[in-house]
Amino acid sequence: MQQTTFSALSSNFLGNAPRWYKLTIIAFLALNPILFFINPYLAGWVLVLEFIFTLAMALKCYPLQPGGLLAIEAIAIGMTTTHQVKHEVVQNFDVILLLMFMVAGIYFMKDLLLFIFTKLVVRVKSKTILSLAFAFAAAFLSAFLDALTVMAVIIAVAMGFYSIYHKVASGKDFHSEHDVNNDHQVTTVNREELEDFRAFLRSLLMHASIGTALGGVCTMVGEPQNLIIADRAGWGFSEFFLRMAPITIPALVSGLCMTVILEKTKKFGYGSLLPDKVRTILSDYDKYQDKKRTKRDVVNLVIQGLIGIWLIVALALHLADVGLIGLSVIIFATASAGIIEEHQIGKAFEEALPFTALLCVFFAVVAVIIDQQLFTPVIAWVLSFEGNTQLVMFFMANGFLSMVSDNVFVGTVYINEVAIAMKNGQISRDQFDLLAVAINTGTNLPSVATPNGQAAFLFLLTSTLAPVLRLSYGRMVIMALPYTLVLSVVGLTFTYAYLVDWTQVLYDLSLIEHHSDALNLIKNDH
């Protein structure tokens, strides 16, 4: 009886995850209290690495459960407190609102998005041009919208493409109900074709993901930490863009050039072409949709287009917090389309809410990093350098820590620390401005190395699309590697060689001003 009960318990724990994975998580939970008793600082870093492991194994088990167990244990043994976790959640509430409402809002605009991108994929024959278009579009949109919003759009489009082909490959009609996770329905002759299509979509997704980073680093609304940095420094939209330009513009150009190179060389998982049969199916679907489109459907597309314009204008002008603008999109889109039943609206939240819960668990890990002062030695070390070398070291330190942590957290911690250093007279205001540029570019560019470095990448990894396309943590790291190397080298080079001179030129042309006013410095509770 006891053996049966134990067997049932082991089967229930983390469900269908591999046995070795379950034992690994149990080992982590047993090890952490012992390590914390011996050395709290070491235990903190081990916890961070354990959490990264759960992210890396996202296709084996969604990270919310194992990561949540680790976070709960960390609170229980005293690594952090519930108060600190709540503080981190509240401080990042804008990001949570973004996930809850903006991603759901995009769900109700998927008809328009699928219409536009289907036309693009069907009519653009060159994979290189198509990849470049996806990367540039993602970069442009991310400069005015949040990268998570752009990623939600791209995921919706890719899932639409995949679902269309998977239905046909399974012998069904376009309008049939279908489970895209069940490959057993796909006929044998279509299996190889399906793998080629997966590779094609994976490469487009990764190009677009990198594009969100290339554009997101350029403006103060591109990433959450950009807003925090701009606020601390007292910069407006144009000043932020101009100060970042000597690094961000070369990085953008280099990133787009790398897109072309990777498609031409077919290295690192890129270069897969759209199979002819799949193109035919998508083309047939496009014609099918055009033929069956009613006046009501046309009106709905036009209204969604107007809502899209509202979305861009509202975000670009910062009319409200991103999440609230997303809520307005939900209201406009559902009201205009006649979607008035609760269960119809509920479907839009299925994608975002699990990730929102995971992000709150991540903030618990961030709370451990703060309470155990895991980054403090690194910050003290980089502040010991001077001049251009200090800028380079800040770029490198922010880049490395963003790879293993989260760029929003790293950027926030570093800008607050250098604000304190300036307040205490350790650095000048001019040096603070230069360091702010190094922090922003350092957190945004090298962080493409891992999915946990950027929220948009993590959102892609934990989406329902990643498993069906076989897009694992390891595969994302490999596919991002050439971009990581190029963006890191370009960022370091231009930070060291041109940042100071460029800033002086901006001063001489009176495009920016020396800020002698008091900064919006770090709050007492941090």
Side-chain angles (χ1 to χ4, degrees):
M1 179 67 179
Q2 291 180 345
Q3 187 175 3
T4 305
T5 303
F6 179 78
S7 177
L9 180 62
S10 62
S11 297
N12 288 342
F13 180 66
L14 299 183
N16 295 324
R19 188 170 183 271
W20 66 264
Y21 181 88
K22 298 179 182 182
L23 292 175
T24 301
I25 297 300
I26 292 172
F28 287 165
L29 294 171
L31 176 65
N32 290 338
I34 299 172
L35 276 182
F36 185 67
F37 177 77
I38 297 172
N39 189 324
Y41 183 80
L42 175 62
W45 270 111
V46 169
L47 180 77
V48 171
L49 294 175
E50 289 170 351
F51 186 72
I52 292 172
F53 170 82
T54 66
L55 298 178
M57 295 291 109
L59 297 187
K60 301 292 184 184
C61 175
Y62 192 71
L64 174 63
Q65 291 78 17
L69 290 173
L70 291 172
I72 291 171
E73 181 187 58
I75 296 170
I77 64 178
M79 282 188 175
T80 188
T81 63
T82 54
H83 173 76
Q84 185 65 43
V85 175
K86 180 183 176 182
H87 172 76
E88 292 304 315
V89 171
V90 171
Q91 192 173 49
N92 292 278
F93 190 62
D94 287 347
V95 180
I96 293 173
L97 277 181
L98 166 73
L99 283 171
M100 289 172 61
F101 295 133
M102 185 61 79
V103 175
I106 295 302
Y107 174 88
F108 293 110
M109 296 178 63
K110 64 181 180 181
D111 291 339
L112 174 66
L113 297 170
L114 196 54
F115 172 80
I116 294 172
F117 281 94
T118 299
K119 298 289 186 186
L120 183 65
V121 170
V122 169
R123 296 183 181 182
V124 177
K125 306 294 184 182
S126 170
K127 174 66 185 308
T128 301
I129 294 176
L130 185 63
S131 299
L132 201 57
F134 265 72
F136 181 79
F140 177 79
L141 290 173
S142 294
F144 296 96
L145 315 181
D146 185 86
L148 274 172
T149 305
V150 179
M151 201 70 250
V153 171
I154 295 164
I155 289 172
V157 169
M159 181 59 87
F161 288 156
Y162 185 82
S163 178
I164 291 165
Y165 173 73
H166 208 275
K167 286 179 184 179
V168 176
S170 302
K172 298 182 179 179
D173 297 325
F174 291 132
H175 59 271
S176 302
E177 291 293 326
H178 184 65
D179 179 13
V180 295
N181 294 296
N182 188 1
D183 283 353
H184 295 298
Q185 302 174 68
V186 179
T187 58
T188 305
V189 294
N190 292 328
R191 293 291 174 86
E192 184 177 348
E193 197 174 83
L194 178 62
E195 291 303 319
D196 291 339
F197 188 38
R198 280 175 173 148
F200 171 83
L201 288 177
R202 280 198 302 266
S203 61
L204 281 185
L205 278 169
M206 286 304 297
H207 287 313
S209 300
I210 299 297
T212 63
L214 295 175
V217 68
C218 294
T219 65
M220 62 181 286
V221 296
E223 291 280 352
Q225 75 270 21
N226 298 17
L227 281 169
I228 297 169
I229 291 170
D231 179 61
R232 296 291 188 271
W235 299 339
F237 188 94
S238 60
E239 182 171 357
F240 186 97
F241 174 80
L242 289 172
R243 285 185 178 273
M244 300 296 162
I247 303 171
T248 57
I249 300 304
L252 174 62
V253 174
S254 301
L256 294 177
C257 289
M258 180 54 62
T259 298
V260 175
I261 293 171
L262 288 171
E263 284 301 320
K264 292 295 185 182
T265 59
K266 302 182 186 298
K267 302 294 185 181
F268 295 94
Y270 295 98
S272 299
L273 302 177
L274 179 64
D276 291 335
K277 289 184 179 179
V278 179
R279 185 184 298 277
T280 301
I281 290 171
L282 293 179
S283 180
D284 290 344
Y285 175 78
D286 186 39
K287 294 174 183 176
Y288 167 78
Q289 288 293 93
D290 288 343
K291 187 176 180 179
K292 69 184 282 289
R293 190 170 290 116
T294 64
K295 288 185 178 180
R296 181 176 179 179
D297 294 329
V298 173
V299 170
N300 194 39
L301 288 176
V302 172
I303 292 176
Q304 286 185 20
L306 294 175
I307 294 173
I309 294 173
W310 150 253
L311 174 63
I312 293 174
V313 171
L315 287 169
L317 298 180
H318 231 27
L319 298 182
D321 288 340
V322 178
L324 297 180
I325 295 173
L327 179 57
S328 73
V329 168
I330 294 174
I331 295 170
F332 290 147
T334 54
S336 61
I339 301 173
I340 57 174
E341 296 180 12
E342 184 180 2
H343 75 274
Q344 290 178 296
I345 298 173
K347 291 180 181 178
F349 294 88
E350 291 177 0
E351 179 75 29
L353 288 185
F355 183 75
T356 305
L358 174 62
L359 199 63
C360 290
V361 170
F362 181 80
F363 291 145
V365 177
V366 169
V368 172
I369 293 174
I370 293 173
D371 282 350
Q372 300 305 318
Q373 299 182 334
L374 301 187
F375 289 178
T376 300
V378 181
I379 294 172
W381 178 63
V382 293
L383 277 174
S384 67
F385 293 89
E386 296 180 354
N388 283 8
T389 304
Q390 188 181 67
L391 299 179
V392 169
M393 296 308 297
F394 261 84
F395 182 97
M396 293 175 62
N398 277 266
F400 173 74
L401 292 174
S402 293
M403 291 178 191
V404 300
S405 180
D406 171 73
N407 59 0
V408 177
F409 164 70
V410 174
T412 303
V413 169
Y414 266 79
I415 196 64
N416 287 336
E417 290 293 334
V418 296
I420 291 175
M422 189 196 69
K423 186 177 181 181
N424 294 337
Q426 292 176 263
I427 58 174
S428 66
R429 171 62 210 236
D430 286 344
Q431 186 68 4
F432 170 85
D433 288 336
L434 294 171
L435 288 175
V437 176
I439 290 169
N440 182 68
T441 53
T443 55
N444 277 292
L445 297 177
S447 60
V448 302
T450 62
N452 43 288
Q454 297 218 6
F457 283 41
L458 185 58
F459 183 54
L460 171 60
L461 176 68
T462 56
S463 69
T464 55
L465 181 63
V468 299
L469 294 187
R470 311 299 187 260
L471 187 60
S472 64
Y473 187 102
R475 180 166 270 165
M476 286 184 73
V477 170
I478 292 172
M479 295 183 77
L481 180 59
Y483 282 110
T484 304
L485 295 175
V486 169
L487 295 180
S488 298
V489 170
V490 170
L492 279 171
T493 301
F494 282 82
T495 297
Y496 183 80
Y498 299 104
L499 180 55
V500 174
D501 292 338
W502 172 258
T503 304
Q504 187 59 52
V505 169
L506 294 178
Y507 285 142
D508 294 341
L509 295 175
S510 299
L511 294 175
I512 60 174
E513 298 178 0
H514 288 275
H515 293 282
S516 57
D517 55 317
L519 285 177
N520 182 11
L521 289 176
I522 187 171
K523 293 183 173 54
N524 293 332
D525 60 355
H526 228 355

